Amino acid sequence: MWFGVLGPLCITHSDILISVPAARQRALLAALLVQPGRVVSFDELGEVVWDGVPPPGARATLRNYIKRLRQVLGSDAGRRIVTRDPGYLIEADEDEVDLVRFAALCAEGGKLVRARTWRAASDVLGRAT
C-alpha cells in the first residue's frame, strides 16, 4: 500500500490506483495521512474539511464521510481508518506514506551530513527527492 500526500493525493494498492473523487473525503484522508498512527480529533478534522468553518452537525457529517471513504478505499485500505476517541486515525507504516518517508530520509541525511559522511548523505538525501 502506498499513500502519497506530497503533490496530488495518491493511493495505490497492488499497483492499482485508488481514486477518491469527493474533495472533502480527499481532504479528510490527507488530514489523517499527514499524521499516521495519531488520533486526529473531530474538531481538527472539521477545521481541515471545511476550511476553518465547520457547519452545525459536522461530527455526524464526518462520520458519513469516513464511512464513504472506507468504501471507496476498499477493504484493505479502508480498514486502516480506525475510530478512536476523540476522532480517527489511519494505520500506516513509515514506508507507506511519502511524507513520513521523506521526513525520515531527511533526518537520516542530516545526521550523515553532521557526521561528514558525504557520500552516504548524498545517497540518502537523493532517495528523499
Side-chain angles (χ1 to χ4, degrees):
M1 179 92 26
W2 179 254
F3 299 99
V5 293
L6 296 174
L9 184 65
C10 174
I11 305 103
T12 57
H13 180 59
S14 300
D15 295 326
I16 297 170
L17 181 64
I18 300 171
S19 176
V20 180
R24 290 201 170 133
Q25 290 174 20
R26 285 193 308 273
L28 180 57
L29 180 57
L32 295 172
L33 285 169
V34 297
Q35 304 177 74
R38 180 187 165 272
V39 175
V40 184
S41 72
F42 281 107
D43 291 340
E44 290 175 275
L45 293 170
E47 291 286 319
V48 169
V49 170
W50 288 285
D51 295 324
V53 188
R59 194 173 282 220
T61 304
L62 285 171
R63 285 188 185 105
N64 282 325
Y65 287 171
I66 288 287
K67 177 184 172 187
R68 291 181 191 148
L69 183 57
R70 286 175 173 148
Q71 292 170 342
V72 167
L73 293 176
S75 62
D76 289 332
R79 71 173 168 223
R80 290 171 175 242
I81 300 174
V82 179
T83 305
R84 290 265 167 78
D85 195 40
Y88 297 95
L89 68 82
I90 191 161
E91 296 174 336
D93 294 330
E94 178 179 299
D95 62 339
E96 293 180 308
V97 181
D98 64 352
L99 176 65
V100 178
R101 184 170 186 265
F102 177 79
L105 288 169
C106 287
E108 182 182 347
K111 289 178 187 175
L112 293 168
V113 166
R114 287 186 291 282
R116 297 181 182 262
T117 52
W118 308 117
R119 183 173 300 276
S122 176
D123 291 343
V124 168
L125 292 171
R127 291 195 326 258
T129 59

